[in-house]
Amino acid sequence: VAVASELMKKFVVTGYPPLDTLMSLTRAACRARHFPRLGDKRILFFLPAARPHALAWWRRAMFDGPLTWAASAAMLPTYRRIADAIRQFADRHNAHIVVKVRDKNRDPGWLSEIGEVVGDKSWHPHTTLELLRAADAYVGFASATAIEATAAGLFQTSIFAWPWESVDVPEFQEFRQRFYMQG
């Protein structure tokens, strides 16, 4: 904690250039460009887990299932179960799910069963920003996209597949705790 506080004193806040275009994007224009057929239907922006293929085998097993080695395997939140729960939530609230993917992440093919899969179409303005501006809410695995969702003013939920203390750089843990858990 003290290390992070000292580290933050060395930074100068200059802004976040990727967000510079956000204020020029309107919800109506972004919805018309990407989802003209949806009208006023709610949109839930879902950012799947980044690069789950890069996890250690035991984390992938817990995260992606199926788990046959544990008696309580049916209760563990696998990647697919989490995505299915998001789908069920969207169905209950009559929301269209937009699943934002990136080629580098090697996302599983079954994501198309969860919602409409959209990749990067443009870099300026960035597709992610346009989709966030069009959306009503955001849900994703702990990602810097939560910063962009915050700037877009979206209600959001970040999912942690494992304790970040086990994978994160210690200097960033205090920030992540405040950002993701305290808002």
Side-chain angles (χ1 to χ4, degrees):
V1 174
V3 173
S5 297
E6 290 301 312
L7 184 62
M8 292 306 291
K9 290 177 185 176
K10 297 178 182 179
F11 288 100
V12 175
V13 177
T14 60
Y16 191 59
L19 293 178
D20 288 349
T21 58
L22 186 62
M23 291 302 123
S24 66
L25 301 175
T26 67
R27 176 178 167 84
C30 291
R31 287 180 70 101
R33 178 175 174 181
H34 293 280
F35 311 107
R37 71 195 183 289
L38 293 181
D40 290 336
K41 185 170 184 163
R42 293 180 181 129
I43 296 175
L44 176 63
F45 181 109
F46 172 45
L47 187 72
R51 299 178 297 284
H53 63 277
L55 299 174
W57 72 268
W58 59 272
R59 275 209 184 104
R60 240 184 357 263
M62 287 189 68
F63 187 56
D64 221 8
L67 301 174
T68 57
W69 52 268
S72 61
M75 302 302 291
L76 291 173
T78 66
Y79 189 10
R80 181 62 193 249
R81 288 183 187 132
I82 291 168
D84 286 341
I86 293 167
R87 168 82 269 154
Q88 292 167 11
F89 173 84
D91 289 346
R92 283 193 310 272
H93 296 280
N94 192 30
H96 179 78
I97 295 181
V98 174
V99 182
K100 174 61 178 66
V101 298
R102 297 182 76 188
D103 289 339
K104 72 177 187 175
N105 290 348
R106 292 193 270 168
D107 295 295
W110 54 258
L111 284 172
S112 63
E113 298 169 23
I114 303 303
E116 179 180 351
V117 175
V118 177
D120 289 317
K121 296 178 180 180
S122 67
W123 294 104
H124 188 77
H126 196 274
T127 305
T128 299
L129 290 180
E130 289 186 316
L131 296 175
L132 287 168
R133 183 56 85 197
D136 296 288
Y138 163 84
V139 62
F141 290 86
S143 164
T145 302
I147 295 169
E148 296 161 329
T150 299
L154 293 179
F155 169 81
Q156 60 186 282
T157 298
S158 291
I159 301 166
F160 297 90
W162 49 82
W164 68 71
E165 298 88 356
S166 66
V167 296
D168 204 357
V169 177
E171 290 80 10
F172 294 129
Q173 288 181 16
E174 178 187 4
F175 169 78
R176 287 185 191 270
Q177 174 72 23
R178 283 187 287 130
F179 183 79
Y180 291 113
M181 304 305 285
Q182 298 168 0

